[in-house]
């Protein structure tokens, strides 16, 4: 090992630049054969380090978001789910809605892909550098109710406000206790025009009053939620039953 490469090994460790350490020698080789100038060489080494940090940061943010599974748009079958425009989802996937602090709402019956698409957008946001947090509506309400009980609801809403994207899954599967409408209203209004929500529900907005048990709070909440919002209505049979239909058909055919 030359003195210079020993120095590089020591210095990149001191600076915590493992990727630069790995690639320095081979980039130096390319620089020699392709006659790059010194700055080009330096830029190449540093950009390798930055790319590697971004890739790792992305996976850390995906983990921190606590998605129930990792789903992506690549594994979403648009030929099965024809009620949703591939183009519209691809556009959302570019994350302009996040930069504009707009919301996304998926409405539709069980198994139509609401959670899958919510996760896919969330994973993309995390990989692109945004902090994301995923939980079911019931979990969010529980978390906010605990904060309220401990007298730190305002702090909690402020903390959540610094996370650019919250995913609220499954509004409507379980009816809420009476405090939920007000907590949810506060969550939505604290983020209004400031940070984004992705919300999914198997019930139409008109049924939300019943789920939350407070028509007035729900009207005010939905008003803010949908003001800057992409609403995607999914239709069709549950994807969960897809294989089952096939099996039944296969058995029937062999009879
Ligand atoms: P929902 O939240 O609307 O009830 P999910 O998104 O949880 O439905 O979908 C149920 C299951 O079916 C998940 O495993 C999901 O990945 C899968 N799924 C749903 N729709 C599709 C689709 N169009 N292509 C591929 N997988 C799908
Ligand atoms: Mg779901």
């Amino acid at each position: 090992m030359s003195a210079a490469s020993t120095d590089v090994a020591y210095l990149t460790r001191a600076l915590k630049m493992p990727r630069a350490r790995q690639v320095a020698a081979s980039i130096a080789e390319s620089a020699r054969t392709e006659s790059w100038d010194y700055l080009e060489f330096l830029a190449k080494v540093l950009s390798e380090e930055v790319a590697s940090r971004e890739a790792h940061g992305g996976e850390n943010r995906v983990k921190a978001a606590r998605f129930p599974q990792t789903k992506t748009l690549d594994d979403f079958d648009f030929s099965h789910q024809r009620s949703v425009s591939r183009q519209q989802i691809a556009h959302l996937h570019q994350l302009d809605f996040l930069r504009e602090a707009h919301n996304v709402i998926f409405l539709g019956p069980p198994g139509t892909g609401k959670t899958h698409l919510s996760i896919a957008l969330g994973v993309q946001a995390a990989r692109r550098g945004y902090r994301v947090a995923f939980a079911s509506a019931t979990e969010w309400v529980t978390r906010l109710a605990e904060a309220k009980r401990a007298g730190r609801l305002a702090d909690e809403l402020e903390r959540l406000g610094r996370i650019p994207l919250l995913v609220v899954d499954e509004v409507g599967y379980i009816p809420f206790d009476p405090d939920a409408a007000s907590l949810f209203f506060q969550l939505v209004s604290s983020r209004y025009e400031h940070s984004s929500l992705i919300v999914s529900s198997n019930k139409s907005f008109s049924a939300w009053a019943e789920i939350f048990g407070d028509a007035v709070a729900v009207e005010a909440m939905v008003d803010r939620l949908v003001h800057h919002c992409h609403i995607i209505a999914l239709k069709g049979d549950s994807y969960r039953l897809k294989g089952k239909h096939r099996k039944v058909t296969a058995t029937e055919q062999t009879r």
Side-chain angles (χ1 to χ4, degrees):
M1 221 190 239
S2 71
S5 56
T6 313
D7 285 350
V8 168
Y10 167 74
L11 293 167
T12 48
R13 191 172 298 130
L15 287 168
K16 299 197 167 48
M17 296 170 67
R19 181 67 186 156
R21 176 187 153 96
Q22 263 172 13
V23 296
S26 73
I27 294 177
E29 186 56 41
S30 309
R32 266 190 299 274
T33 55
E34 292 167 33
S35 312
W36 299 349
D37 67 29
Y38 298 116
L39 278 178
E40 260 180 289
F41 166 76
L42 182 61
K44 182 73 182 146
V45 172
L46 294 177
S47 67
E48 280 281 338
E49 181 65 38
V50 168
S52 139
R53 285 187 190 187
E54 281 174 356
H56 281 110
E59 288 319 303
N60 289 339
R61 279 187 297 274
V62 170
K63 269 195 213 123
R66 301 180 142 267
F67 297 111
Q69 304 96 24
T70 307
K71 303 271 180 183
T72 64
L73 269 203
D74 287 341
D75 34 69
F76 192 78
D77 180 359
F78 284 91
S79 63
H80 174 83
Q81 180 43 274
R82 290 183 175 279
S83 69
V84 58
S85 138
R86 180 198 289 265
Q87 218 183 342
Q88 186 181 15
I89 302 295
H91 180 72
L92 291 173
H93 204 242
Q94 291 174 2
L95 306 178
D96 290 338
F97 78 95
L98 263 186
R99 289 180 274 273
E100 295 164 352
H102 290 182
N103 300 324
V104 178
I105 300 187
F106 293 105
L107 297 174
T112 48
K114 303 181 296 297
T115 301
H116 187 130
L117 292 172
S118 303
I119 295 174
L121 295 179
V123 166
Q124 174 72 356
R127 290 190 174 148
R128 284 295 157 89
Y130 296 93
R131 283 173 68 206
V132 181
F134 179 104
S136 70
T138 312
E139 286 163 348
W140 283 118
V141 166
T142 307
R143 215 176 283 181
L144 294 173
E146 274 165 15
K148 189 182 172 193
R149 217 170 298 131
R152 45 173 194 82
L153 180 60
D155 287 352
E156 180 66 3
L157 291 171
E158 198 188 311
R159 191 185 70 78
L160 293 173
R162 288 194 291 272
I163 303 179
L165 176 60
L166 300 187
V167 185
V168 181
D169 198 33
E170 299 190 344
V171 171
Y173 281 100
I174 302 168
F176 292 119
D177 60 31
D179 235 10
S182 141
L183 291 169
F184 222 85
F185 170 77
Q186 292 182 69
L187 178 67
V188 169
S189 57
S190 70
R191 302 180 68 80
Y192 178 61
E193 298 190 331
H194 159 75
S195 44
S196 297
L197 288 164
I198 295 180
V199 177
S200 74
S201 179
N202 61 332
K203 299 271 167 63
S204 64
F205 292 130
S206 56
W208 282 26
E210 199 181 319
I211 299 163
F212 283 96
D214 181 339
V216 177
V218 165
E219 193 186 342
M221 184 227 300
V222 170
D223 192 50
R224 283 164 180 74
L225 193 61
V226 303
H227 182 197
H228 306 293
C229 184
H230 305 264
I231 299 177
I232 292 150
L234 298 143
K235 297 187 186 75
D237 294 335
S238 171
Y239 193 86
R240 296 186 183 98
L241 299 174
K242 195 178 167 228
K244 291 179 186 148
H245 281 315
R246 259 209 210 115
K247 259 179 230 148
V248 171
T249 322
T251 345
E252 279 169 0
Q253 280 169 351
T254 56
R255 266 183 207 154

